[in-house]
Amino acid sequence: MDRIGSPGVALKARSAALERWTSDEIMTIVGSRSIRDGSSCFVGIGIPSTVVNLARATHAPNVTLIYESGPIGAKPQVLPLSIGDGELSATADAVVSIPEMFNYWLQGGNIDMGYLSAAQIDRLANLNSTVIGSRYADPMVRLPGAGGAPDVAAFCKAVTVIMRHQSRAFVRAVDFVTSVGFGPTDGYRESLGLTGRGPTMVITDLGILEPDPHHRELTLVAVHPGVTVDMVRDRTQWELRVADDIGETSPPTETELEAVRSLVHAGSAS
C-alpha cells in the first residue's frame, strides 16, 4: 500500500535509490507530497519551511505560503532563516500586520493547512516547544517557545507535524503542552472549542503516523523503504499502535531528490 506518493517503482530502481537518499531527505519529500496544489499553508521555520517550499518547486506551484510575520503568497528563492527574513516579504503577494494575520486569517479559519515541528510529541499529538524538564521556572532546557504554533494547531483546518523520530522526542507525555493536539484525553480538544481538526498526520524520518479516528492515539500507518516496524517502536516511548494494513511510502524520485538538494544547497550557500 502506498499512502503518499507515486505508483510502485521497480525493485532495482528502489534498491539503487535507497543508497542515495538521507533520512531527512525522504522525510522532507514524503512531507511535500501531502501538500495539495492550490491550498493555503501556514508555514513554520525549519523542516516545515523546507517541506512546503519543496512542494512549491515540484508538484504544487500554486500553493500559497503564509508566514506568521505577515507575508501571504511568499515565494522565497532561498529557504528563510526566520519569519523575519526579508526574502519572505520581498517575494510575497501581500504583507499584512501580525494582528490581522492571527485575528482574521488564522483564528478565522481561513488557512487550509498548518505545518509544525516540535521538540516533543506524545501519543495524542500534543506538542512541546517550550521547556524540557518538569519545572517550567527551572527547566533542564529552555526551548525557543510557542511563537504562533498554538494558534496554528488550534485554528488551521488541519495540521501536519514533521519531525525526526527519536525516543527523546516521542514521549509518553510532553513536559509542557505548547500546542494542543488532542489533549490528555479524547474529546478534550472539542471541549476547548478549537475549530481546526488538529493533527491529521505526523511525518518522520521513519514513516507516517495518523490519529486513530476513534480514540485519536497516533498509529503507525506506513514506513519508509528500508525501515521496519521494530525500528519505529524502538524510538517511541509509548506502546505504539500499528495499523493492520501498514504500508510503505514510495521511494524518492530523481526529480524530487534533485529539487530538495537544490533547495537546501541554495539555502546553505546564501
Side-chain angles (χ1 to χ4, degrees):
M1 183 187 66
D2 182 6
R3 292 267 174 176
I4 296 178
S6 55
V9 180
L11 181 60
K12 182 177 180 181
R14 285 182 53 201
S15 299
L18 186 58
E19 298 175 358
R20 296 199 301 270
W21 71 67
T22 68
S23 57
D24 273 6
E25 285 173 343
I26 192 168
M27 173 174 62
T28 302
I29 288 167
V30 170
S32 74
R33 293 172 182 167
S34 69
I35 296 170
R36 188 181 74 254
D37 193 25
S39 61
S40 56
C41 299
F42 200 102
V43 189
I45 293 299
I47 295 173
S49 186
T50 306
V51 167
V52 179
N53 277 288
L54 175 61
R56 188 174 66 85
T58 52
H59 71 279
N62 300 306
V63 64
T64 300
L65 275 57
I66 300 172
Y67 290 82
E68 68 178 271
S69 52
I72 297 174
K75 304 171 185 65
Q77 300 303 303
V78 296
L79 294 175
L81 298 176
S82 72
I83 59 170
D85 196 317
E87 178 78 3
L88 297 177
S89 296
T91 61
D93 296 329
V95 179
V96 301
S97 67
I98 292 178
E100 179 180 334
M101 175 60 69
F102 281 84
N103 293 339
Y104 175 75
W105 292 98
L106 188 53
Q107 295 172 7
N110 293 307
I111 299 176
D112 296 325
M113 181 68 71
Y115 286 82
L116 296 175
S117 192
Q120 290 182 329
I121 186 171
D122 63 25
R123 65 184 185 85
L124 288 175
N126 301 297
L127 303 176
N128 173 25
S129 57
T130 303
V131 295
I132 301 297
S134 59
R135 294 179 295 176
Y136 175 82
D138 185 25
M140 296 170 56
V141 178
R142 189 169 296 281
L143 300 167
D151 291 84
V152 172
F155 300 111
C156 280
K157 294 177 182 177
V159 171
T160 295
V161 179
I162 300 176
M163 56 192 292
R164 297 180 183 93
H165 206 130
Q166 300 171 330
S167 178
R168 67 182 182 183
F170 283 70
V171 296
R172 294 180 183 276
V174 294
D175 293 339
F176 186 95
V177 179
T178 304
S179 306
V180 174
F182 298 107
T185 57
D186 185 24
Y188 180 81
R189 182 180 181 88
E190 289 75 11
S191 73
L192 296 178
L194 306 184
T195 56
R197 292 164 56 198
T200 57
M201 186 181 302
V202 178
I203 299 173
T204 81
D205 53 347
L206 299 182
I208 301 173
L209 299 92
E210 295 177 355
D212 183 273
H214 303 294
H215 50 68
R216 306 292 183 90
E217 186 169 328
L218 291 177
T219 300
L220 183 67
V221 298
V223 293
H224 301 322
V227 175
T228 66
V229 171
D230 284 343
M231 289 171 63
V232 185
R233 282 183 165 140
D234 287 345
R235 299 190 197 180
T236 306
Q237 288 192 25
W238 69 84
E239 189 66 31
L240 182 65
R241 295 175 183 264
V242 179
D244 293 335
D245 59 342
I246 188 167
E248 182 177 285
T249 60
S250 293
T253 66
E254 291 295 334
T255 299
E256 289 171 327
L257 283 171
E258 289 175 3
V260 72
R261 289 170 183 172
S262 175
L263 191 64
V264 172
H265 176 73
S268 62
S270 63

